[in-house]
Amino acid sequence: MYSDFAARLASSIWPDFGRTPDRSTETPEITGLSTVVVDGNFPWTIVRLETDAGVTGIGESYPSPGVHEVITDYFEPVLVGENPLDVERLYHLMRESLSGRGSQQGIGTIAISGIEIALWDAAGKVLGVPVYQLLGGKMREEVRVYADCHAGEGMVEAALNEQPGETYEAAAYARSARAAVDDGYELIKFDLDVPSGRDVDTLARHFDGPEIEHKRGLVEAVTEEVGDEAEVAVDLHWNFSVEATEKLCAALEPYDLAWIEDPLPPENADALATLNRRVEQPLLTGENRYGRHGFRDLIEKEAVSFVAPDVPKTGGIAETKKIAELADTYYLTTCPHNIGSPVATMAGVHVGATVPNFLALEFHARDVPWWDDLVASDEPLIRDGRIEVPDEPGLGIELDWDVVEEHRRE
C-alpha cells in the first residue's frame, strides 16, 4: 500500500518522475532490490540492485534499524522497471516518493544513500566504466586512508584490571598508535571521550581539571610515540560544551593535532562557529548531517576547517561530491566519515578520486580480521594507508558472497 502511495505521490509532484525517458528497446531495467546485513564491527547493510542486463549493483546503507524494510518494502516497487543509468533522476524520484516521511534526513536518506551507491555501481558496469569516470574523471591515482584506532575500550578495560590508573591507559593508546603507523598509516585518530576511572556527570558537558589532564595524557602518549611519522586527530563524539572544549584545546595546543572532531552536539552551527573562532586547533564535523542543505550552514558560517560527510548516510556518492564542492568554495577540506564495509569504503574512494579538496577517508575496521576477505580478490584494498583508485567498471570490487553469508546477521 505504501509503495503504491509513494509512486502516485511522486508522479503527482513531478509527472516525469514516474516515466523513464523513451530509449531503445535495449534500455536496461531494474528488476529487484534486496539487502543483507553483515555482522562486522558495525552491522553493515549491503544493498543488491538487480537488472535485466545481467548486472548487479552493490551499495551500502549506514547502520540503522529498519533500513531493510524501507529499501525492500518501500523503494523496490518505486524503482522496479526504471533505468538504472538515470541515477540522478532516480535519486530525486526516491526523495519525492518519500517526501514528508523522512527523505530529507534520517532513515529515509540512509536507505536512499545505499540504493544510490548501488545505482552508480550498476551504471558503471552496464557502461563498462568506473564510477569516477561517470563523475567527471579522477584527480588522483590513489586515495589516502586514515586509521580510526580506538585504542581500545576493550584494551583499556583489560589494562585497568591489571594496573588501575591513567598511565597504563595512555600506554594502551601509544601501542595502538604504533601498530597503525607500522601498518603504513600517516594519519591516525583516537577517541578522547573515554572513561578515566572517575565518576563524571557527562550530561553536564563540563569536565574538571583532572578529566582534562587525563585526556591530555592520552594525546601526549600517542604523539610522543609516533613523532613526525603520522598526524594525530582526536574525536569527542559531541560530548563537550563550548567552555569545556576551549579548556581542552588549550591543554592540547602543544601537540599540533590534525583536528578535533565533533566537540559539540551536531545541531547548532552557530555554537560551533563560536568555538572555531576561539580555539587554535582545526575542527571537523559532519557525520550527523544530511545532504548539501544540511552542510550549508556549517560551511557558510565557516564553523569548521574539515567537513566529514558519510557517503552511505548523507545521500550517496553524488550528494557527497556536491557537499565537497560546496565546501571547496570556502576552501574547506573534505575527510569523509566511514565505518562501513569495503563497499562503503570504495564509494568513498570514488568521491575522493574526483574532488580537489579531499584529504583522507576514514577506515574503522582494523580490528576486523576478515574485512578484506569480503572482497573477491587476493590483494588487500588498503596498502600503506592508501587505496588505489580502481579502473574496473562500477565501484571496482565484487564481494565474495560465501564470506558475506558466513558473517551474515539474521
Side-chain angles (χ1 to χ4, degrees):
M1 179 178 67
Y2 286 127
S3 59
D4 291 341
F5 170 77
R8 292 196 304 272
L9 178 61
S11 178
S12 66
I13 294 174
W14 194 339
D16 287 341
F17 268 152
R19 295 191 287 271
T20 301
D22 290 335
R23 293 188 176 91
S24 72
T25 56
E26 297 181 358
T27 298
E29 291 187 358
I30 298 169
T31 58
L33 279 172
S34 62
T35 66
V36 57
V37 178
V38 177
D39 199 9
N41 56 336
F42 294 91
W44 300 323
T45 301
I46 307 300
V47 180
R48 289 171 53 104
L49 184 140
E50 305 291 347
T51 72
D52 64 358
V55 162
T56 298
I58 54 174
E60 181 172 348
S61 289
Y62 190 87
S64 179
V67 70
H68 161 82
E69 287 78 10
V70 176
I71 290 173
T72 58
D73 296 350
Y74 202 93
F75 282 132
E76 183 180 36
V78 172
L79 293 179
V80 166
E82 295 287 350
N83 183 351
L85 302 181
D86 294 339
V87 182
E88 290 274 18
R89 183 179 67 82
L90 297 183
Y91 173 79
H92 286 282
L93 169 60
M94 288 187 286
R95 281 172 60 86
E96 293 296 337
S97 71
L98 207 62
S99 177
R101 295 168 179 252
S103 65
Q104 311 307 311
Q105 56 186 349
I107 188 171
T109 300
I110 290 170
I112 290 170
S113 301
I115 297 170
E116 193 261 13
I117 295 169
L119 284 167
W120 281 117
D121 185 47
K125 289 173 178 174
V126 170
L127 298 173
V129 296
V131 169
Y132 73 75
Q133 203 71 66
L134 299 175
L135 300 175
K138 60 183 174 183
M139 295 190 172
R140 49 186 60 88
E141 297 296 329
E142 58 183 14
V143 163
R144 190 183 189 190
V145 177
Y146 79 84
D148 193 320
C149 296
H150 280 285
E153 185 177 340
M155 290 177 62
V156 171
E157 288 176 353
L160 290 173
N161 287 335
E162 293 182 30
Q163 183 178 341
E166 63 186 48
T167 302
Y168 205 133
E169 194 173 351
Y173 270 58
R175 287 195 302 271
S176 183
R178 170 49 54 193
V181 172
D182 287 348
D183 283 344
Y185 293 95
E186 298 173 354
L187 177 57
I188 58 177
K189 185 180 78 176
F190 288 87
D191 292 347
L192 284 190
D193 58 323
V194 293
S196 64
R198 302 171 68 244
D199 186 14
V200 177
D201 179 8
T202 57
L203 292 177
R205 303 191 184 282
H206 172 79
F207 294 88
D208 60 12
E211 280 300 303
I212 290 176
E213 176 58 22
H214 165 257
K215 296 170 193 337
R216 187 206 62 78
L218 298 180
V219 172
E220 180 179 63
V222 170
T223 53
E224 286 186 351
E225 176 63 38
V226 302
D228 294 333
E229 296 177 69
E231 293 184 272
V232 177
V234 297
D235 195 342
L236 305 182
H237 288 110
W238 319 283
N239 284 315
F240 284 55
S241 66
V242 173
E243 165 266 334
T245 306
E246 281 192 80
K247 291 180 179 178
L248 178 63
C249 286
L252 299 181
E253 277 187 24
Y255 304 106
D256 192 25
L257 294 176
W259 67 71
I260 307 286
E261 182 168 345
D262 294 334
L264 308 181
E267 302 88 355
N268 192 329
D270 289 316
L272 196 58
T274 297
L275 177 65
N276 199 30
R277 290 190 295 268
R278 291 181 181 178
V279 301
E280 295 296 324
Q281 290 91 340
L283 303 181
L284 174 149
T285 199
E287 67 185 84
N288 275 338
R289 295 263 174 159
Y290 294 88
R292 76 200 95 146
H293 299 289
F295 278 82
R296 189 182 70 174
D297 59 345
L298 280 178
I299 294 168
E300 291 181 346
K301 296 175 188 296
E302 299 181 81
V304 292
S305 297
F306 300 93
V307 295
D310 191 298
V311 183
K313 184 178 187 179
T314 199
I317 290 173
E319 192 69 10
T320 305
K321 185 175 188 288
K322 292 169 185 175
I323 292 167
E325 290 167 343
L326 179 61
D328 195 40
T329 65
Y330 284 77
Y331 313 119
L332 304 180
T333 304
T334 301
C335 296
H337 179 260
N338 173 44
I339 61 170
S341 79
V343 178
T345 301
M346 292 308 296
V349 166
H350 285 274
V351 172
T354 59
V355 296
N357 57 329
F358 170 86
L359 176 63
L361 172 69
E362 184 173 10
F363 175 54
H364 206 293
R366 290 185 66 246
D367 296 332
V368 180
W370 44 267
W371 189 85
D372 270 313
D373 297 339
L374 290 169
V375 181
S377 171
D378 294 331
E379 299 294 333
L381 279 183
I382 304 172
R383 302 182 201 178
D384 295 325
R386 284 170 167 74
I387 298 178
E388 184 178 352
V389 180
D391 289 326
E392 290 78 14
L395 292 177
I397 63 168
E398 292 294 342
L399 294 179
D400 185 326
W401 293 102
D402 289 336
V403 178
V404 170
E405 192 63 30
E406 180 182 350
H407 297 282
R408 178 174 184 164
R409 175 180 290 190
E410 295 299 330

